[in-house]
Amino acid sequence: MRINWFKYAAPANFYPIAGALAPWFIALAGVLAIIGLYWGFFQTPDILTDQKQYYRIIFVHVASAWMGMWLYAMLVLWALIGIIFNTRLSYMFAAAIAPTGAMFTFLSLWTGAFWGEPSWGTWWDWDPRMTSMLILLFLYIGYMALQSAIDDPRRSDKASSVLAMVGLVMVPVIYWSVNCPNPAECAALHQSSSMEQIDPNIRNAMFIMVASFWIYSFGVIMLRIRNIILEREKQTRWVQELKECQ
Amino acid sequence: MGSLPSMGDYGFYIGASYGLALLFMLLEPWLLGRKKRSVIKNVQRFVRINKNRHD
């Protein structure tokens, strides 16, 4: 069976789908978060190598940092699709992703500070990983500011998409900031990824939290994209005839 | 300060991290719900103004 994907690129066709999916995504994310937190707090050792119980911030810190990066890559992907195919819904997706991505990036910086203080004795350091995450947060803010600074949605979509694409360079920089080929050349306070050495219970709880954050993101992006569709398509007959707009 | 055994003496750090995450993740869908109501009001106003213009 062939699916005509372009059919769902029409806001009128996507709007009801987003409305039907959003509550399921948010409920599933809540269930996964409860499982992940129970596993992470009650089925894991109290000490991780040299770190005491505060290492449990890992479950929210790593998940939010990954979401900050992945959502940015998703934002750029939708912006690129918008520029190539000139589909309005793609730009709307990019615009809907940005606030959630910024929220997760801020959360990763915040939780990093609360992990850094007991672990390294400092809330902040201009270490490559932290600095690159801060720049990513500024990119999200810049994208949203540019979008709201231009009144014409078509122009604001194009301008902000170009900015987002230029900013994509930050994603590999963030990754390589702690995973550089020669660790002696990385003056990093932030430890590199050590997924294979980690206790399986910690790793599993972390992956469940990552899944929960992903699904939560899908849910709120669906809710936000419905608002954007209503705002941008209010002059169309199908929006005006919607039951909720009567 | 009493805390869960799984937090040890680090309840403040862990609580501040998870607390903000919980706040954000509850606030975001709630704010989007509020925004939706305001967007719908805007659409209704837009329809009313256009209808009056045509009448």
Side-chain angles (χ1 to χ4, degrees):
Chain A
M1 189 182 74
R2 284 189 65 191
I3 300 173
N4 181 7
W5 293 106
F6 280 98
K7 180 183 160 195
Y8 298 105
N13 293 334
F14 189 76
Y15 183 84
I17 296 173
L21 290 176
W24 290 102
F25 280 140
I26 290 178
L28 184 59
V31 171
L32 284 174
I34 291 168
I35 296 170
L37 290 177
Y38 173 76
W39 201 333
F41 274 77
F42 297 103
Q43 304 295 324
T44 49
D46 273 347
I47 291 175
L48 170 67
T49 56
D50 57 338
Q51 305 207 31
K52 294 185 183 158
Q53 289 93 338
Y54 56 78
Y55 85 82
R56 289 197 167 97
I57 294 173
I58 197 172
F59 304 116
V60 66
H61 176 70
V62 171
S64 52
W66 284 3
M67 290 317 300
M69 280 192 291
W70 287 340
L71 286 178
Y72 195 82
M74 291 259 298
L75 186 160
V76 174
L77 181 70
W78 282 113
L80 194 65
I81 292 173
I83 284 184
I84 294 169
F85 295 106
N86 208 18
T87 43
R88 285 168 303 165
L89 191 68
S90 312
Y91 290 124
M92 292 181 197
F93 255 109
I97 289 170
T100 305
M103 184 270 280
F104 278 122
T105 308
F106 178 81
L107 200 55
S108 79
L109 290 167
W110 173 273
T111 53
F114 277 89
W115 192 356
E117 216 288 320
S119 178
W120 306 322
T122 180
W123 297 94
W124 176 260
D125 187 82
W126 293 102
D127 144 293
R129 169 57 66 94
M130 290 181 243
T131 311
S132 51
M133 283 304 280
L134 184 65
I135 295 171
L136 183 69
L137 177 65
F138 291 148
L139 276 170
Y140 274 120
I141 294 170
Y143 174 88
M144 291 186 286
L146 190 58
Q147 273 249 316
S148 53
I150 304 172
D151 284 337
D152 179 3
R154 283 170 303 181
R155 286 185 61 215
S156 77
D157 282 340
K158 288 219 164 72
S160 51
S161 296
V162 172
L163 174 72
M165 278 187 263
V166 173
L168 186 65
V169 72
M170 279 317 292
V171 174
V173 169
I174 293 167
Y175 178 77
W176 290 110
S177 64
V178 291
N179 295 304
C180 63
N182 182 0
E185 288 176 359
C186 294
L189 196 57
H190 196 290
Q191 64 271 36
S192 55
S193 314
S194 49
M195 213 57 85
E196 58 288 339
Q197 298 154 16
I198 219 165
D199 182 286
N201 277 320
I202 299 174
R203 195 173 51 216
N204 292 343
M206 202 170 77
F207 283 137
I208 293 172
M209 287 301 286
V210 172
S212 164
F213 279 26
W214 255 122
I215 295 168
Y216 166 85
S217 303
F218 288 146
V220 287
I221 288 166
M222 294 295 158
L223 290 179
R224 189 172 290 113
I225 207 161
R226 276 165 66 87
N227 289 349
I228 296 173
I229 289 173
L230 286 182
E231 264 179 342
R232 294 194 181 184
E233 306 273 310
K234 67 179 173 209
Q235 76 289 354
T236 59
R237 184 178 286 271
W238 76 268
V239 167
Q240 294 174 8
E241 287 176 352
L242 274 176
K243 203 175 156 193
E244 58 215 84
C245 293
Q246 296 299 311
Chain B
M1 189 176 71
S3 57
L4 280 172
S6 51
M7 292 192 194
D9 294 329
Y10 301 96
F12 166 68
Y13 300 101
I14 297 172
S17 300
Y18 284 91
L20 190 77
L22 186 68
L23 181 73
F24 277 176
M25 292 168 89
L26 291 177
L27 211 59
E28 197 180 11
W30 180 73
L31 286 174
L32 287 169
R34 272 176 63 102
K35 172 84 177 167
K36 190 181 176 192
R37 281 193 289 280
S38 110
V39 170
I40 286 174
K41 273 187 190 159
N42 259 337
V43 174
Q44 288 168 337
R45 194 178 308 129
F46 180 82
V47 173
R48 208 168 40 243
I49 291 168
N50 271 5
K51 201 176 163 204
N52 288 344
R53 200 175 286 163
H54 287 299
D55 291 345

PDB file of all heavy atoms in Angstrom, chain A residues 81-92:
ATOM      1  N   ILE A  81      13.297  20.745   4.671  1.00  0.00           N
ATOM      2  CA  ILE A  81      12.182  20.202   3.873  1.00  0.00           C
ATOM      3  C   ILE A  81      11.283  21.356   3.403  1.00  0.00           C
ATOM      4  O   ILE A  81      10.831  21.386   2.264  1.00  0.00           O
ATOM      5  CB  ILE A  81      11.372  19.159   4.695  1.00  0.00           C
ATOM      6  CG1 ILE A  81      12.222  17.918   4.954  1.00  0.00           C
ATOM      7  CG2 ILE A  81      10.085  18.767   3.966  1.00  0.00           C
ATOM      8  CD1 ILE A  81      11.596  16.911   5.895  1.00  0.00           C
ATOM      9  N   GLY A  82      11.075  22.320   4.298  1.00  0.00           N
ATOM     10  CA  GLY A  82      10.259  23.479   3.938  1.00  0.00           C
ATOM     11  C   GLY A  82      10.863  24.246   2.785  1.00  0.00           C
ATOM     12  O   GLY A  82      10.157  24.643   1.851  1.00  0.00           O
ATOM     13  N   ILE A  83      12.170  24.435   2.832  1.00  0.00           N
ATOM     14  CA  ILE A  83      12.831  25.204   1.769  1.00  0.00           C
ATOM     15  C   ILE A  83      12.817  24.425   0.454  1.00  0.00           C
ATOM     16  O   ILE A  83      12.568  24.983  -0.612  1.00  0.00           O
ATOM     17  CB  ILE A  83      14.263  25.586   2.209  1.00  0.00           C
ATOM     18  CG1 ILE A  83      14.155  26.738   3.209  1.00  0.00           C
ATOM     19  CG2 ILE A  83      15.141  25.950   1.013  1.00  0.00           C
ATOM     20  CD1 ILE A  83      15.444  27.317   3.687  1.00  0.00           C
ATOM     21  N   ILE A  84      13.021  23.096   0.528  1.00  0.00           N
ATOM     22  CA  ILE A  84      13.071  22.289  -0.701  1.00  0.00           C
ATOM     23  C   ILE A  84      11.678  22.143  -1.319  1.00  0.00           C
ATOM     24  O   ILE A  84      11.479  22.374  -2.509  1.00  0.00           O
ATOM     25  CB  ILE A  84      13.692  20.895  -0.419  1.00  0.00           C
ATOM     26  CG1 ILE A  84      15.160  21.043  -0.020  1.00  0.00           C
ATOM     27  CG2 ILE A  84      13.560  19.985  -1.645  1.00  0.00           C
ATOM     28  CD1 ILE A  84      15.800  19.788   0.519  1.00  0.00           C
ATOM     29  N   PHE A  85      10.697  21.724  -0.499  1.00  0.00           N
ATOM     30  CA  PHE A  85       9.372  21.413  -1.053  1.00  0.00           C
ATOM     31  C   PHE A  85       8.375  22.575  -0.924  1.00  0.00           C
ATOM     32  O   PHE A  85       7.253  22.475  -1.426  1.00  0.00           O
ATOM     33  CB  PHE A  85       8.790  20.172  -0.364  1.00  0.00           C
ATOM     34  CG  PHE A  85       9.586  18.929  -0.634  1.00  0.00           C
ATOM     35  CD1 PHE A  85      10.387  18.385   0.352  1.00  0.00           C
ATOM     36  CD2 PHE A  85       9.546  18.301  -1.875  1.00  0.00           C
ATOM     37  CE1 PHE A  85      11.134  17.237   0.120  1.00  0.00           C
ATOM     38  CE2 PHE A  85      10.294  17.157  -2.117  1.00  0.00           C
ATOM     39  CZ  PHE A  85      11.085  16.628  -1.115  1.00  0.00           C
ATOM     40  N   ASN A  86       8.779  23.605  -0.209  1.00  0.00           N
ATOM     41  CA  ASN A  86       7.917  24.765   0.010  1.00  0.00           C
ATOM     42  C   ASN A  86       6.575  24.374   0.647  1.00  0.00           C
ATOM     43  O   ASN A  86       5.519  24.869   0.243  1.00  0.00           O
ATOM     44  CB  ASN A  86       7.684  25.507  -1.315  1.00  0.00           C
ATOM     45  CG  ASN A  86       7.432  26.973  -1.066  1.00  0.00           C
ATOM     46  OD1 ASN A  86       7.744  27.485   0.007  1.00  0.00           O
ATOM     47  ND2 ASN A  86       6.831  27.639  -2.035  1.00  0.00           N
ATOM     48  N   THR A  87       6.649  23.459   1.618  1.00  0.00           N
ATOM     49  CA  THR A  87       5.435  23.020   2.310  1.00  0.00           C
ATOM     50  C   THR A  87       5.283  23.843   3.595  1.00  0.00           C
ATOM     51  O   THR A  87       6.209  23.921   4.396  1.00  0.00           O
ATOM     52  CB  THR A  87       5.519  21.520   2.670  1.00  0.00           C
ATOM     53  OG1 THR A  87       6.826  21.262   3.183  1.00  0.00           O
ATOM     54  CG2 THR A  87       5.255  20.634   1.481  1.00  0.00           C
ATOM     55  N   ARG A  88       4.099  24.427   3.755  1.00  0.00           N
ATOM     56  CA  ARG A  88       3.864  25.284   4.923  1.00  0.00           C
ATOM     57  C   ARG A  88       3.988  24.507   6.220  1.00  0.00           C
ATOM     58  O   ARG A  88       4.510  24.989   7.220  1.00  0.00           O
ATOM     59  CB  ARG A  88       2.452  25.879   4.850  1.00  0.00           C
ATOM     60  CG  ARG A  88       2.313  26.983   3.840  1.00  0.00           C
ATOM     61  CD  ARG A  88       0.852  27.297   3.638  1.00  0.00           C
ATOM     62  NE  ARG A  88       0.146  26.079   3.216  1.00  0.00           N
ATOM     63  CZ  ARG A  88      -1.153  25.914   3.220  1.00  0.00           C
ATOM     64  NH1 ARG A  88      -1.930  26.870   3.639  1.00  0.00           N
ATOM     65  NH2 ARG A  88      -1.720  24.799   2.812  1.00  0.00           N
ATOM     66  N   LEU A  89       3.503  23.252   6.201  1.00  0.00           N
ATOM     67  CA  LEU A  89       3.494  22.474   7.441  1.00  0.00           C
ATOM     68  C   LEU A  89       4.922  22.220   7.957  1.00  0.00           C
ATOM     69  O   LEU A  89       5.134  22.154   9.167  1.00  0.00           O
ATOM     70  CB  LEU A  89       2.762  21.140   7.219  1.00  0.00           C
ATOM     71  CG  LEU A  89       2.461  20.356   8.476  1.00  0.00           C
ATOM     72  CD1 LEU A  89       1.425  21.063   9.343  1.00  0.00           C
ATOM     73  CD2 LEU A  89       1.958  18.954   8.150  1.00  0.00           C
ATOM     74  N   SER A  90       5.879  22.094   7.041  1.00  0.00           N
ATOM     75  CA  SER A  90       7.269  21.840   7.469  1.00  0.00           C
ATOM     76  C   SER A  90       7.791  23.013   8.283  1.00  0.00           C
ATOM     77  O   SER A  90       8.417  22.827   9.327  1.00  0.00           O
ATOM     78  CB  SER A  90       8.172  21.636   6.264  1.00  0.00           C
ATOM     79  OG  SER A  90       7.582  20.744   5.377  1.00  0.00           O
ATOM     80  N   TYR A  91       7.525  24.227   7.811  1.00  0.00           N
ATOM     81  CA  TYR A  91       7.955  25.417   8.560  1.00  0.00           C
ATOM     82  C   TYR A  91       7.230  25.483   9.909  1.00  0.00           C
ATOM     83  O   TYR A  91       7.806  25.903  10.910  1.00  0.00           O
ATOM     84  CB  TYR A  91       7.650  26.683   7.768  1.00  0.00           C
ATOM     85  CG  TYR A  91       8.510  26.879   6.542  1.00  0.00           C
ATOM     86  CD1 TYR A  91       7.938  27.045   5.290  1.00  0.00           C
ATOM     87  CD2 TYR A  91       9.896  26.920   6.656  1.00  0.00           C
ATOM     88  CE1 TYR A  91       8.725  27.251   4.169  1.00  0.00           C
ATOM     89  CE2 TYR A  91      10.690  27.130   5.535  1.00  0.00           C
ATOM     90  CZ  TYR A  91      10.089  27.289   4.295  1.00  0.00           C
ATOM     91  OH  TYR A  91      10.872  27.495   3.196  1.00  0.00           O
ATOM     92  N   MET A  92       5.962  25.075   9.886  1.00  0.00           N
ATOM     93  CA  MET A  92       5.204  25.097  11.145  1.00  0.00           C
ATOM     94  C   MET A  92       5.810  24.107  12.136  1.00  0.00           C
ATOM     95  O   MET A  92       5.900  24.378  13.329  1.00  0.00           O
ATOM     96  CB  MET A  92       3.739  24.743  10.890  1.00  0.00           C
ATOM     97  CG  MET A  92       2.985  25.790  10.103  1.00  0.00           C
ATOM     98  SD  MET A  92       1.280  25.256   9.898  1.00  0.00           S
ATOM     99  CE  MET A  92       0.742  26.314   8.578  1.00  0.00           C
TER     100      MET A  92
END
